[in-house]
Amino acid sequence: MTEKRPFRLPSARLVAIAAIAGLVCGAGVVTIRHIWSEGQVQGAGVAQAGLCEGTASRIASLKPLLKGQVAAMSANERPRIVPLSFKGPDGAAMSEASFTGKTVLLNLWATWCVPCREEMPALNALEREKGDDRFEVVTVNIDTGDDAKPQTFMGEYGIDALKLYRDSSMGVFNALKKEGLAFGLPATLLIDDKGCLLASMNGPAAWDSPDAKALVDFAKAK
């Protein structure tokens, strides 16, 4: 099978398309589930502050690396763990705790999102080169329905280093939207090995670029 080739990344037009697509996606979902009660959320905030102790200084050191192809990433301004919920390649439920001990570049995408489709080969290349027991590119597909469409896309585009994480309910998108982290697709978070948010961005990027690799090397360093 001939491998399909992507268009050039990034582009302002693709970013605009992604933002519009994300707004449509968000408008189509009217129900957001509340997992914690108010008291539990307050308790979680205290726990997060303890787990993310020292994250602020690490983010300050990371800021000079948010340049060039990853200049659109915004450093997190307050220590926190972002709640995540989706399914793993085997269909098992996963959360942010599933990746404790591993730095993660979390990316939300859909087959109907043109900028998402165009940046996937770069994400695949980043995982192939940098992925190990201390770092993973976690791409979460939010297409509704079964796994057939994203699986077909990944096969046609030669996406062979990335695992198929899924959330057909789009709940993870809405959770990040509520946190002010996802306004469209693609949406990407850089999360450290304790599950603490380091930086985030909306829109595509050249994840196989030297700028992206330098950022990942810094984030995964102990």
Side-chain angles (χ1 to χ4, degrees), residues 18-197:
I20 293 171
L23 290 174
V24 171
C25 167
V29 180
V30 296
T31 303
I32 299 177
R33 291 174 295 178
H34 295 278
I35 300 175
W36 295 315
S37 67
E38 183 177 351
Q40 288 174 312
V41 169
Q42 291 174 350
V46 174
Q48 287 184 20
L51 284 172
C52 297
E53 184 177 359
T55 302
S57 61
R58 193 174 188 192
I59 291 172
S61 299
L62 173 146
K63 284 182 179 180
L65 297 173
L66 303 181
K67 62 181 181 178
Q69 297 295 338
V70 290
M73 290 207 84
S74 298
N76 181 36
E77 296 301 329
R78 61 184 176 88
R80 58 172 164 162
I81 293 174
V82 179
L84 301 169
S85 178
F86 50 87
K87 292 185 178 180
D90 60 356
M94 304 195 75
S95 70
E96 68 283 355
S98 303
F99 300 95
T100 300
K102 180 181 288 189
T103 299
V104 167
L105 187 74
L106 181 91
N107 176 275
L108 300 189
W109 71 286
T111 60
W112 43 261
C113 164
V114 174
C116 302
R117 294 169 67 94
E118 298 305 334
E119 78 169 353
M120 285 294 286
L123 288 163
N124 190 66
L126 179 63
E127 171 61 20
R128 184 183 293 116
E129 181 175 341
K130 298 294 183 180
D132 55 26
D133 59 353
R134 296 187 295 118
F135 173 76
E136 183 179 353
V137 178
V138 176
T139 51
V140 182
N141 174 267
I142 64 170
D143 279 64
T144 57
D146 59 25
D147 296 350
K149 191 176 292 185
Q151 284 177 339
T152 298
F153 166 81
M154 293 176 79
E156 289 180 347
Y157 279 76
I159 308 302
D160 54 3
L162 299 173
K163 298 175 183 177
L164 180 58
Y165 294 96
R166 289 269 286 140
D167 179 19
S168 60
S169 73
M170 295 191 292
V172 66
F173 173 86
N174 283 288
L176 295 185
K177 183 178 179 181
K178 186 177 180 181
E179 292 279 338
L181 297 171
F183 304 103
L185 290 178
T188 306
L189 277 60
L190 181 61
I191 302 169
D192 74 9
D193 57 351
K194 295 181 292 185
C196 303
L197 179 65

